[in-house]
Amino acid sequence: MAHMSSNAADSPAARGTYRVKRGLAEMLKGGVIMDVVTPEQAKIAEDAGACAVMALERVPADIRRDGGVARMSDPEMIEGIKAAVTIPVMAKARIGHFVEAQILEALGVDYIDESEVLTPADETHHIDKFAFTVPFVCGATNLGEALRRISEGACMIRSKGEAGTGNIVEAVRHLRNITGDIRKVTQADSAELFQWAKSLQAPLPLVQEIAETGWLPVPLFCAGGIATPADAALAMQLGAEAVFVGSGIFKSDDPAPRAKAIVEATTHFRDPHILAKVSRGLGAPMTGIGMDEINQRYAERGW
Amino acid sequence: MSSPSRPDTGSADPTGTTPVVGVLALQGAFQAHQAVLDRLGARTRQVRTPADLAGVDALVMPGGESTTMSRLLHTAELFDPLAERLAAGMPVFGTCAGMILLAAEVLDGRPDQRSFAAIDIAVRRNGYGRQIDSFEHEVDVDGLDAPFHVVFIRAPKVERTGPGVEVLARHDGVPVLARQGRVLVASFHPELTDDDRLHAMFLAMVPPSAARAA
């Protein structure tokens, strides 16, 4: 950093601070982050108004169908997608696989998703996310899980839902778990907060912070099962601040119009007239599957 | 920050004379801006439709993705009404993506990306690099006694300022805060700090509400 004549610039600029990492999550609010597997899909997503893309090799519906071990994507594929768009590019690392995260940081991705959609690499530990310059998002099914991820350095939480199902029921359950417990914590007195911290298995200072502010210290987004504009608006009305759409766009009959409609629905989530307008004539959504038809619940991964 | 699921009912107006400051809420960091303005006692309203826009005296255009906002300005049929209000002199404060949307010239934008050309500057999208290059630092601001803490997130870089543009702060020699008439722009994010001074500077640029009512 070159010296300026002013006093203000005497200290060096700071990169990778909590504020800088959390700042990008703030910029993604009200937006749609779309899973893409090719540069062409990334361009369709950007054209449709996605605020970011998630670069991966297979969308969750295909990971679910194919089985086997799901890992970080090939760096060549991530670089191809980075070159195709100007919006932020995210990528997934396996739970606890800090070397995959180191590689993704070296590739210059803008956000890392330590994701239960990939096969976990560590069944006890998540990644120490404070050790990285790049920010992390992690999934959560309830408030305790969200706070454990935040205590490890996650700068954004997404409700997990059940990826690759096109079924919103688990996302709704997880959002209601998180926001419902936040409401209860705000009603607790100072003595009860100690018990809340124990039952949530979460650090007391974070529980006390929620009691004071009434919200998580980082943004809460929704993922796992959004397939229609109405699904996106439902997540937003339930308290999500932005949405991730995985298989829901590129597993539908006509991805581009559906992607645009979900973007509009996420912005105008409280206006049923606009939601009715954008929901028309989108072709068939992804077929989707019921929770009793799946043999692997990704949401159970994470500790 | 309170739960975002609570509807935005706008803030109370005990006297009816305080101007209404809108926050463009298509996408991005609109809640953070609204929180600072509320703290300063401003009447605020989120703007997503032409009807919302008609009810405000000034507008903050937040950071976020400029390509996303550009597309949503079009689909919400907000682009033309907003261009008219800006041409008529409505005060506006654009940060990051908001600055890109207000700039006369956008470099490295998408071909279909539209901007309002409300301030005679050229900006390069992501001019400071990707997220791993994002940073925070201090700058001196003209008219403020103490330095301002600046947070740059995948920030746009100002590459040219026209003769009518007043540069209020520079970082590493590059303009980061600038004003032309009632248009104030910053390439950084004052809404991500606890420092309200730039929002106060903007509110001082907003005339009484009577101007709109009349």
Side-chain angles (χ1 to χ4, degrees), chain A residues 67-102:
Chain A
V69 175
R71 308 177 179 89
M72 177 189 82
S73 297
D74 186 327
E76 196 170 283
M77 193 281 278
I78 293 168
E79 279 171 341
I81 286 170
K82 269 178 62 199
V85 293
T86 63
I87 56 178
V89 175
M90 303 186 177
K92 289 184 195 289
R94 283 179 264 177
I95 289 173
H97 205 315
F98 51 87
V99 174
E100 283 188 349
Q102 290 164 3

Side-chain angles (χ1 to χ4, degrees), chain B residues 5-92:
Chain B
S5 57
R6 205 167 297 156
D8 170 52
T9 51
S11 26
D13 177 28
T15 62
T17 55
T18 324
V20 178
V21 181
V23 182
L24 189 67
L26 297 174
Q27 192 271 321
F30 51 88
Q31 279 180 322
H33 274 291
Q34 195 174 14
V36 180
L37 293 165
D38 285 342
R39 214 154 58 215
L40 288 168
R43 291 170 69 198
T44 59
R45 182 176 299 170
Q46 294 182 4
V47 173
R48 291 184 177 85
T49 65
D52 295 335
L53 179 66
V56 305
D57 301 285
L59 188 68
V60 172
M61 295 170 66
E65 267 311 308
S66 62
T67 55
T68 303
M69 284 189 229
S70 175
R71 196 186 143 68
L72 286 162
L73 282 166
H74 169 71
T75 56
E77 295 174 354
L78 259 176
F79 193 92
D80 292 337
L82 180 49
E84 280 168 30
R85 291 294 304 276
L86 291 170
M90 175 178 67
V92 63

Side-chain angles (χ1 to χ4, degrees), chain B residues 19-191:
Chain B
V20 178
V21 181
V23 182
L24 189 67
L26 297 174
Q27 192 271 321
F30 51 88
Q31 279 180 322
H33 274 291
Q34 195 174 14
V36 180
L37 293 165
D38 285 342
R39 214 154 58 215
L40 288 168
R43 291 170 69 198
T44 59
R45 182 176 299 170
Q46 294 182 4
V47 173
R48 291 184 177 85
T49 65
D52 295 335
L53 179 66
V56 305
D57 301 285
L59 188 68
V60 172
M61 295 170 66
E65 267 311 308
S66 62
T67 55
T68 303
M69 284 189 229
S70 175
R71 196 186 143 68
L72 286 162
L73 282 166
H74 169 71
T75 56
E77 295 174 354
L78 259 176
F79 193 92
D80 292 337
L82 180 49
E84 280 168 30
R85 291 294 304 276
L86 291 170
M90 175 178 67
V92 63
F93 183 15
T95 60
C96 197
M99 176 175 89
I100 295 172
L101 290 170
L102 291 167
E105 194 182 349
V106 179
L107 307 165
D108 290 347
R110 285 168 49 85
D112 60 345
Q113 191 170 351
R114 296 174 76 190
S115 67
F116 292 101
I119 181 166
D120 186 15
I121 58 172
V123 298
R124 186 172 299 280
R125 281 187 65 218
N126 304 332
Y128 288 91
R130 305 192 71 94
Q131 175 61 15
I132 46 172
D133 306 307
S134 296
F135 63 98
E136 50 185 316
H137 210 187
E138 308 272 318
V139 298
D140 291 319
V141 175
D142 280 7
L144 298 184
D145 292 340
F148 199 92
H149 194 83
V150 286
V151 184
F152 291 85
I153 309 284
R154 286 174 52 97
K157 200 170 220 170
V158 176
E159 298 205 346
R160 179 188 65 78
T161 56
V165 175
E166 187 186 358
V167 175
L168 300 175
R170 293 175 188 273
H171 179 267
D172 226 4
V174 177
V176 294
L177 180 69
R179 181 167 55 193
Q180 184 173 22
R182 285 177 176 168
V183 181
L184 180 66
V185 294
S187 50
F188 56 93
H189 293 284
E191 78 283 6

Side-chain angles (χ1 to χ4, degrees), chain A residues 87-224:
Chain A
I87 56 178
V89 175
M90 303 186 177
K92 289 184 195 289
R94 283 179 264 177
I95 289 173
H97 205 315
F98 51 87
V99 174
E100 283 188 349
Q102 290 164 3
I103 293 169
L104 292 174
E105 179 168 86
L107 290 171
V109 305
D110 296 297
Y111 239 94
I112 295 177
D113 184 0
E114 186 183 15
S115 176
E116 70 284 358
V117 172
L118 304 185
T119 310
D122 189 322
E123 295 190 332
T124 310
H125 308 94
H126 283 252
I127 296 170
D128 171 8
K129 294 164 272 287
F130 288 110
F132 290 79
T133 302
V134 63
F136 280 74
V137 52
C138 288
T141 58
N142 56 54
L143 183 57
E145 198 176 2
L147 295 183
R148 288 195 293 280
R149 298 296 85 78
I150 293 166
S151 73
E152 298 156 359
C155 293
M156 179 202 300
I157 294 296
R158 53 174 176 74
S159 56
K160 283 179 179 172
E162 197 51 53
T165 61
N167 188 336
I168 196 70
V169 66
E170 294 300 306
V172 168
R173 188 191 320 279
H174 301 157
L175 276 175
R176 283 198 182 277
N177 281 348
I178 295 168
T179 59
D181 272 355
I182 289 173
R183 282 189 289 271
K184 288 180 204 155
V185 166
T186 61
Q187 299 300 311
D189 72 18
S190 58
E192 289 167 336
L193 292 179
F194 296 102
Q195 179 55 36
W196 268 104
K198 276 181 266 182
S199 67
L200 291 172
Q201 297 177 271
L204 178 65
L206 286 177
V207 175
Q208 289 168 324
E209 185 178 342
I210 284 173
E212 196 170 315
T213 64
W215 197 239
L216 294 178
V218 305
L220 172 64
F221 292 8
C222 175

